[in-house]
Amino acid sequence: MTKGPAPVRTPYALLRHVLALLGALLLLGAQEAPAASAADNGEWAVYPAASQLGSRPYFYLSADPGDTVTDRVTVANKTAAPLTFLLYGADAYNTERDGGFAVRTRQEQQTGTGAWIRPARDRVTVPARSAVTVPYTLTVPATAEPGDHAGALVALDERIARAGTGRDAVALGVQRAVAARVHLRVGGPTVPALSVEDVTLVQHRPLVPGTRTSRAVVSYTLHNRGNVTLDPRVALRAEGAFGRTLLTRDLGRLPAALLPRQKIRLTAEWTGSPQLDWGDVTLTATAQDVRASGRAGFLALPWLPLAVLLTGTAGGALALRLRRRRSARGDAST
């Protein structure tokens, strides 16, 4: 991979060897609840085979360890020219930044659902404004853990698009993909578990109290420790000195599906946080009959006025001490 953009002056055949493949896999519904529509980027769509488009937006499968299930996936070409796709299974995960639903690229190692999916064809050419349906099998290993396993069936466009045109083109290529989600439940005991970890609070206060509104940023990690997918809800509560309630509110921008064994780092802003107080903030997460909390303390002091006060006090004490020394020397001389 090149260290930075550079003008392309080589034939396209050579360019392909220096292109950096950007895993531009579509993030499917990062913050939204599942909608009854196919995964679609405007040029092609991928969805479970059904009697009509969108009637099965995702694959919902159930199997026991050692079982094999079969289904069919449809790839629809909406353009005026034939398109060829690489078709493969991929593991799914939550992005650490915001908890969005994402899938592994073809170059990454698949260890779960992505490794268990086998399409009947790994390359498919779809005529213009047409659709092709491909059967696939999903074989669950006998040693598979019970619970939820998320993945996707991905249709990767084989074309590599260059960034820019002419002399402005750079040695950087992009491949695009669209994926249909696969939600697999492996038979066995299900154990929901959730924890709130690493709660921190960073305060932003004016140097001079009252000159502007203060705020605080609360950061925390939400960790799904169980084997089932969770739909978490988080409440923030802040208490000041002597147990006074300063803030109570439900937090938004949470993932609709926190996958098993996934952890994500989230933040919440507290506008109007105290400029002179001490206490703690508590985050309480709930989902599917599980509940967990995390806490962090805070100390809000007006540091500039306090520094001025301490400096003045120290200066006054020093002056008084020097005055007493002079007085003592004068008495000794007398």
Side-chain angles (χ1 to χ4, degrees), residues 208-253:
V208 179
T211 57
R212 60 181 175 85
T213 302
S214 60
R215 66 184 182 91
V217 177
V218 182
S219 302
Y220 62 100
T221 297
L222 208 56
H223 189 181
N224 184 349
R225 293 181 172 274
N227 65 355
V228 293
T229 301
L230 300 177
D231 179 14
R233 297 289 181 267
V234 179
L236 170 63
R237 180 182 179 87
E239 294 183 347
F242 311 112
R244 294 176 298 109
T245 299
L246 304 177
L247 175 70
T248 301
R249 81 163 190 261
D250 293 330
L251 301 183
R253 302 185 64 183

Side-chain angles (χ1 to χ4, degrees), residues 278-291:
W278 73 89
D280 53 52
V281 295
T282 303
L283 291 153
T284 302
T286 56
Q288 281 106 303
D289 301 325
V290 295
R291 182 185 181 92

Side-chain angles (χ1 to χ4, degrees), residues 89-92 109-118 138-139 141 149-151 184:
D91 295 338
Q109 183 180 6
Q110 315 296 337
T111 59
T113 307
W116 307 341
I117 293 174
R118 289 288 182 270
L138 190 155
T139 301
H149 298 262
L184 170 67

